Amino acid sequence: PAQSPLLEARDLVAGYGAIEVLHGVSLSVLPGSITVLLGSNGAGKTSLMRTLAGLMAPWRGSIRFDGESLDRLAAHERVGRGIALVPEGRMIFPHLTVEETLRVGAYGAWARPHFAESLARAYALFPRLAERRRQSAGALSGGEQQMLAIARALMARPRLILLDEPTLGLAPKMARFVFDLARELRSAGLTLLLAEQDVRMSLAIADQGYVLENGRIVMAGAAGDLAADPRIRTSYLGL
Ligand code: ATP
């Protein structure tokens, strides 16, 4: 039997004020997979991620997670169900230390009792953060701040991580680290939805992908098929 999706969005319509930016987006994410969301600047990736996380209320459509409707759940309740967003731009509080930032990530009632264990795991995954645990987050490099944003999301013990353009502005080596990490998290059983502009790298690690253009899904499929698709090769890979 076909595996049922962990996350399923149907016909999401959303916007800002009177301006509609998502015009009926549907997608599904299988458990234990990496799904990549491709699309150029302004395609609506961030709006979609924020809608899934409950930070933006859709005008129409529905979202289900693990068989349950999320439609009436606030953002913090979605975190409690196992959905963590790593926002574009990282949204790090510069004056908190690394460790204080991680404590914020474990704020929820379900995560707090596991704080020590989650912290040890985060530091094992990111030794750089362990070295800098007492430093203020604002003093970290861009790559380290991205690690911290991911580590903060993991502190909530999510089942699904929404990663919004995690490699934006990072040096190639650091971007590779992020992609390797995504694979590692998948191996550990997590499910990832990754919005990315690095089409080549993200299709290389993903299981499936969606292409968003002007607020609509225009292509979807297995990552390997998308990487070989002539439209992707000309429009997104410059081949
Ligand atoms: P980017 O790579 O630039 O983040 P994106 O694919 O994530 O692009 P969104 O940020 O979701 O796209 O933007 C989709 C559309 O919504 C764009 O036309 C953008 O100008 C518009 N938009 C985004 N945020 C707002 C806002 N706060 N108010 C009004 N319009 C917005």
Side-chain angles (χ1 to χ4, degrees), residues 194-210:
L194 172 67
E196 256 296 334
Q197 296 207 40
D198 189 331
V199 175
R200 190 184 312 272
M201 290 290 278
S202 55
L203 284 178
I205 63 154
D207 300 290
Q208 60 258 330
Y210 289 88

Side-chain angles (χ1 to χ4, degrees), residues 28 69 83 154 186 190 202:
S28 58
S69 170
I83 302 177
L154 290 172
R186 175 180 55 190
L190 269 83
S202 55

Side-chain angles (χ1 to χ4, degrees), residues 16 21 39-48 88 164-165 197 212:
Y16 303 90
V21 299
S40 44
N41 268 328
K45 301 183 298 299
T46 296
S47 303
L48 178 55
E88 184 179 12
D164 193 1
E165 304 214 16
Q197 296 207 40
L212 194 61

